[in-house]
């Protein structure tokens, strides 16, 4: 038996970055075309192409059963129309894989939905440990004025299904109404038949 060597990854708690990250993914608005509900606002804002979020992947662990992966996500503050900056959102390719999000900074929501379109929204602020149960699609939304930062820990073989969300969207949007976050139905949502 060859044992893997234990290790520690340091997260900079000032800004949620992982200085020695194995990899970093940057998502600008142009990487998220069609995901925001207000298409006109999206097209108008594309001229500036703002940075929406970054993911700092802590490790290169093998993507196999038994291993974990973990990362921090930093979502910057802003809105497209009245919809807050958010992640693309995904189901896990292996749908039965769960995940834990732990909020480090800022305020926002974990928005979840079942494949049948049932919605659940968990408010997050520093200290919130929010559970993504098996089979729930998930997206995070920054509803504050500063960066929204959380740590995600998930099975290394979970994988990503982005296509379902890209094609059908989420059944709910999180929008600013008089400066307050509100969960409202998504008029563009394409329910499964
Ligand atoms: C991994 C996970 C998070 C997200 C990250 C970015 O399963 O849920 O690490 O990958 O918050 O969101 P997406 O992947 O939707 O762009
Ligand atoms: Zn996930």
């Amino acid at each position: 038996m060859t044992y893997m060597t234990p290790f520690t990854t340091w997260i900079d708690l000032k800004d949620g970055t992982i200085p020695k990250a194995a990899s970093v993914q940057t998502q600008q608005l142009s990487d998220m075309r069609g995901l925001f509900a207000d298409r006109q606002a999206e097209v108008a804002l594309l001229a500036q192409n703002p940075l929406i979020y970054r993911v700092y992947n802590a490790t290169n662990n093998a993507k196999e059963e038994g291993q974990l992966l973990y990362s921090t996500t930093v979502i910057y503050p802003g809105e497209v129309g009245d919809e807050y900056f958010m992640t693309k959102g995904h189901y896990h390719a292996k749908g039965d894989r769960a995940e834990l999000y732990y909020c480090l900074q800022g305020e926002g929501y974990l928005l979840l939905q079942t494949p049948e379109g049932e919605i659940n929204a968990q408010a997050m602020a520093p200290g919130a440990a929010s559970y993504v149960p098996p089979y729930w699609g998930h997206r995070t939304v920054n509803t504050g004025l500063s960066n929204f930062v959380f740590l995600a820990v998930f099975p290394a073989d979970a994988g990503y299904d982005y296509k379902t969300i890209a094609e059908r969207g989420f059944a709910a949007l999180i929008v600013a109404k008089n400066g307050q976050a509100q969960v409202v139905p998504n008029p563009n949502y394409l329910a499964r038949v």
Side-chain angles (χ1 to χ4, degrees):
M1 176 81 176
T2 313
Y3 295 101
M4 194 176 160
T5 307
F7 59 90
T8 296
T9 309
W10 291 92
I11 298 167
D12 184 338
L13 292 177
K14 284 197 307 296
D15 57 9
T17 62
I18 297 180
K20 293 190 177 161
S23 61
V24 182
Q25 286 145 298
T26 297
Q27 306 288 358
Q28 290 176 265
L29 186 59
S30 57
D31 302 308
M32 299 181 70
R33 282 172 215 261
L35 292 181
F36 289 94
D38 185 339
R39 302 288 151 84
Q40 269 184 321
E42 185 181 292
V43 169
L45 200 58
L46 269 171
Q48 293 162 43
N49 199 14
L51 184 57
I52 311 286
Y53 64 103
R54 279 206 172 99
V55 178
Y56 297 83
N57 296 301
T59 81
N60 267 329
N61 287 350
K63 293 181 176 51
E64 59 192 31
E65 192 175 353
Q67 295 278 4
L68 295 173
L69 292 175
Y70 53 109
S71 58
T72 57
T73 301
V74 179
I75 309 179
Y76 303 97
E79 289 161 29
V80 179
D82 58 5
E83 192 176 14
Y84 295 103
F85 283 9
M86 62 187 186
T87 58
K88 290 178 177 174
H90 60 270
Y91 290 91
H92 289 155
K94 287 199 176 170
D96 64 355
R97 296 321 198 237
E99 178 159 13
L100 185 77
Y101 282 3
Y102 181 69
C103 183
L104 300 173
Q105 272 186 21
E107 58 185 280
Y109 277 88
L110 166 61
L111 181 66
L112 307 106
Q113 83 173 5
T114 64
E116 288 76 26
E118 180 186 338
I119 280 287
N120 187 289
Q122 298 293 316
M124 295 185 75
S130 302
Y131 189 62
V132 179
Y135 300 110
W136 286 79
H138 43 288
R139 152 180 292 166
T140 39
V141 182
N142 183 352
T143 57
L145 299 173
S146 59
N147 292 356
F148 175 48
V149 182
F150 61 92
L151 171 73
V153 185
F154 51 102
D157 63 349
Y160 300 89
D161 165 15
Y162 288 108
K163 193 164 169 267
T164 304
I165 301 293
E167 288 176 356
R168 301 182 174 277
F170 270 79
L173 312 172
I174 303 194
V175 297
K177 288 264 157 69
N178 306 319
Q180 291 279 80
Q182 275 189 14
V183 183
V184 299
N186 177 5
N188 303 330
Y189 175 62
L190 213 61
R192 263 189 2 176
V193 281

